[in-house]
Amino acid sequence: MASRPTGLLRAGAAYSAARLGLVAVIAVGLVALRVPLVVALLLAVVVALPLSLVVFRGMRSRFTAELAAATGRRRGERQRLRDRLRSG
């Protein structure tokens, strides 16, 4: 059972790291163009959000699939527990 959550954690961590990396790359590029750091970070966050939806589509799909699988397992476990409690 310990191996199940690691897929979800790994997919979530990879997707989050990729999105943060994209923000960093955009911010560094803007700073190189002599945009002030705070403005560059704000613009990078705004630009990276829609861009990451396109660029990291596969990663997002894997994360969503892992999340759906984990949710399904939790629902099943919760229902089994309820059934056991009702049967007393």
Side-chain angles (χ1 to χ4, degrees), residues 35-46:
V35 175
L37 179 61
V38 173
V39 175
L41 286 172
L42 290 172
L43 282 173
V45 168
V46 170

Side-chain angles (χ1 to χ4, degrees), residues 34-75:
R34 302 210 184 266
V35 175
L37 179 61
V38 173
V39 175
L41 286 172
L42 290 172
L43 282 173
V45 168
V46 170
V47 170
L49 176 66
L51 190 59
S52 69
L53 294 176
V54 176
V55 173
F56 303 127
R57 183 177 297 150
M59 292 177 84
R60 191 181 77 242
S61 295
R62 280 191 295 277
F63 179 55
T64 303
E66 289 286 342
L67 191 58
T71 301
R73 284 192 302 271
R74 284 193 295 267
R75 280 189 184 136

Side-chain angles (χ1 to χ4, degrees), residues 82-88:
R82 286 180 181 157
D83 292 344
R84 283 180 48 203
L85 290 172
R86 283 187 190 127
S87 66

Side-chain angles (χ1 to χ4, degrees), residues 13-27 44-45 48 52 56:
Y15 183 58
S16 297
R19 289 184 71 183
L20 286 173
L22 182 61
V23 169
V25 166
I26 293 170
V45 168
S52 69
F56 303 127

